[in-house]
Amino acid sequence: MTDDRKGLVPVWTLATGDVRLPVLSEDGPMTAERLHELRGALAALADEPIATLEVHPLPDKLDRGRGIPLDAASPLAQHLSQLITQSARNSSAASTSVAGEGLYRMVIPAKLAAQVGQGCLRSMQAKGAASAIRGAIVDSSGRIAGGATFVPVGQVATAGAVGGAGATAGVAVGGSAMLTVAAPLVLMAVAVGMSAHADGKRQQAIEHITEMLEQLQEQELEQEHSTLDGCRDAIDKATAILLDQGRPGVSLGLDSAVHAINSALGAVDRRLAKWQSALDKLPEGQAVDLGTLTKSFPGIDDHGGILCAHLQLATLAIALKRRVVILQAVEHAQDDPNNLFESFTRVLKRDQQRLDALESSLAGVLVRLSTLELARPHGLRPVFTTAEVDRLMRAAHRIRLLGEGVVGDSRPADVAIDIARGDDGSVVVFPALPVSA
């Protein structure tokens, strides 16, 4: 959603550790383009991850159901409130703009986004629109600032150990006066935004699976779906506890949920290996008989067939696993307060790479299938029935469509995490989404 009021937008530069940088900040207002250039320079030169935080007026219409709500007592809400309060005391740019409710946009540069799992932060397509992106905040260009100008928020003097679990913000030693250290705030925002994004992918998969299974009436697939969907309750509870800096116990059932998700991912690996083997056996450069193809890929010629159900179950398992990985990364980071963000990114990267590779392999299968040419039906008759021709044409069309949803460009992009803050200090964190420059 674009802010057409063309007002001044306060912006903080947030570091996740104590860093030394050349003076890159602006003394006066900046354009959106100049802010993007500054973010890129800071990301390239900083020893620790750098993010920016902007504050915009809260849109009149906002679909809060897409985000994860946190009350005013949650660590993320408290870190944000303390940053706002302390900034208002020390900066005239912030004092008149950040009080009360507002829409806070944290932008993670591409370099940092790649560290925290770029595969998890791809756009989610809107239902019924092939090229649209799901997003309650951003417009088609990925911006909310419009013609607004950005004003750097000045030095923030706070107490607390920099980077520790109890820290809020501080000034980077020897660096720009506009650089604020706020590792816990960045950590929590990234964790909740990524978790909300993964849950959005889960909801999309559930919608498709439910519709397909009603038509297929496959009991084994229904059981697999029910087992995976039953993991959500434990993951939601564990997320709430960890984001309150607690420790999830055995009673939550998270161990059982992780086992079910890992078992489902094992099934995905087995199906993927069979699909890759079947494709490798096809004669290269030759048309393929539809009957031969359906033996290895049952339902490939049907809308919402078994192949589609298997692919959506894979999407569901991967989305749930991504949420679990984020939980594990947050837990490890909070166990080491002096190494908070580094611990988070290290743990997250290890498992995210496996999930990214799995998604890439599934995408590769879909692309290979979409490029196949179907052979004409074999038979003794010189002509074919209308039904045979129609089936072949429908199958060819559906096979070509398999490659449409594949994300071809995996280059890192800046990522935005929108946080709606109410007058009472409570927040709603929306899914992390890539944005254009």
Side-chain angles (χ1 to χ4, degrees):
M1 184 174 293
T2 305
D3 177 11
D4 294 324
R5 281 169 272 194
K6 301 183 184 297
L8 294 178
V9 175
V11 57
W12 292 266
T13 308
L14 306 178
T16 57
D18 192 359
V19 295
R20 293 180 181 273
L21 286 176
V23 178
L24 296 173
S25 61
E26 304 284 331
D27 294 331
M30 296 181 288
T31 63
E33 290 73 18
R34 178 55 183 154
L35 177 61
H36 176 72
E37 293 173 359
L38 177 63
R39 267 198 305 263
L42 289 171
L45 297 173
D47 295 328
E48 301 288 344
I50 301 292
T52 58
L53 182 68
E54 312 157 12
V55 55
H56 301 263
L58 198 63
D60 296 331
K61 295 181 179 179
L62 197 60
D63 182 11
R64 296 174 183 268
R66 293 184 53 252
I68 294 180
L70 299 171
D71 61 35
S74 66
L76 186 149
Q78 288 184 341
H79 291 317
L80 183 60
S81 295
Q82 291 169 16
L83 178 67
I84 293 167
T85 302
Q86 291 153 358
S87 297
R89 293 173 185 167
N90 295 276
S91 172
S92 58
S95 60
T96 59
S97 305
V98 299
E101 67 179 17
L103 177 66
Y104 293 79
R105 160 161 287 196
M106 183 176 292
V107 179
I108 311 296
K111 178 182 177 181
L112 174 56
Q115 290 180 334
V116 297
Q118 184 66 23
C120 187
L121 301 177
R122 292 173 180 156
S123 302
M124 292 184 293
Q125 289 188 347
K127 193 174 183 180
S131 60
I133 293 177
R134 269 190 170 180
I137 311 298
V138 297
D139 60 13
S140 58
S141 69
R143 296 181 182 177
I144 61 173
T149 54
F150 296 84
V151 183
V153 177
Q155 179 171 322
V156 181
T158 63
V162 171
T168 54
V171 179
V173 177
S176 164
M178 303 303 174
L179 188 63
T180 302
V181 178
L185 176 59
V186 178
L187 168 69
M188 289 292 181
V190 170
V192 183
M194 291 176 64
S195 185
H197 185 281
D199 194 55
K201 299 286 285 185
R202 180 199 64 82
Q203 292 178 25
Q204 282 184 309
I206 288 290
E207 291 172 5
H208 291 115
I209 293 171
T210 302
E211 181 181 347
M212 284 185 289
L213 293 184
E214 287 176 354
Q215 300 174 5
L216 291 173
Q217 296 182 345
E218 290 281 342
Q219 291 186 353
E220 289 186 6
L221 293 181
E222 288 181 359
Q223 179 61 41
E224 189 173 341
H225 167 230
S226 299
T227 301
L228 280 174
D229 198 31
C231 299
R232 181 191 175 189
D233 185 60
I235 293 175
D236 285 347
K237 290 177 180 176
T239 300
I241 290 175
L242 276 175
L243 292 178
D244 282 338
Q245 294 185 342
R247 182 176 292 277
V250 179
S251 60
L252 290 181
L254 189 59
D255 290 347
S256 299
V258 171
H259 175 74
I261 295 168
N262 288 340
S263 297
L265 288 174
V268 174
D269 284 329
R270 291 191 296 274
R271 288 166 184 158
L272 176 61
K274 289 180 180 179
W275 293 337
Q276 290 173 328
S277 176
L279 285 169
D280 290 340
K281 292 177 182 178
L282 295 177
E284 187 175 353
Q286 298 182 25
V288 181
D289 180 70
L290 181 58
T292 301
L293 199 59
T294 54
K295 287 180 181 177
S296 300
F297 302 91
I300 193 173
D301 57 336
D302 294 331
H303 175 66
I306 293 178
L307 175 65
C308 291
H310 283 161
L311 290 171
Q312 290 300 326
L313 285 169
T315 299
L316 176 57
I318 291 172
L320 289 169
K321 182 64 175 180
R322 287 198 186 278
R323 287 199 71 187
V324 169
V325 170
I326 294 165
L327 292 178
Q328 293 170 335
V330 172
E331 185 175 15
H332 279 76
Q334 292 181 164
D335 283 345
D336 188 2
N338 295 321
N339 187 22
L340 191 145
F341 207 86
E342 289 183 2
S343 180
F344 173 73
T345 54
R346 183 174 60 252
V347 174
L348 191 63
K349 185 177 181 180
R350 185 178 59 239
D351 286 332
Q352 291 281 22
Q353 286 176 336
R354 182 208 168 194
L355 295 174
D356 290 347
L358 182 57
E359 280 191 329
S360 178
S361 296
L362 288 169
V365 167
L366 294 179
V367 170
R368 291 176 68 182
L369 284 172
S370 68
T371 59
L372 292 178
E373 178 185 353
L374 292 181
R376 59 184 294 181
H378 298 293
L380 299 176
R381 291 175 289 122
V383 294
F384 303 100
T385 65
T386 302
E388 289 175 327
V389 174
D390 287 345
R391 185 195 176 204
L392 187 64
M393 292 181 65
R394 286 196 303 270
H397 176 67
R398 286 168 182 157
I399 290 172
R400 283 197 299 272
L401 290 177
L402 289 174
E404 280 199 351
V406 175
V407 179
D409 185 2
S410 60
R411 290 176 300 176
D414 288 356
V415 170
I417 301 168
D418 292 309
I419 306 172
R421 181 176 184 266
D423 285 325
D424 61 352
S426 62
V427 297
V428 177
V429 185
F430 292 92
L433 290 176
V435 293
S436 59

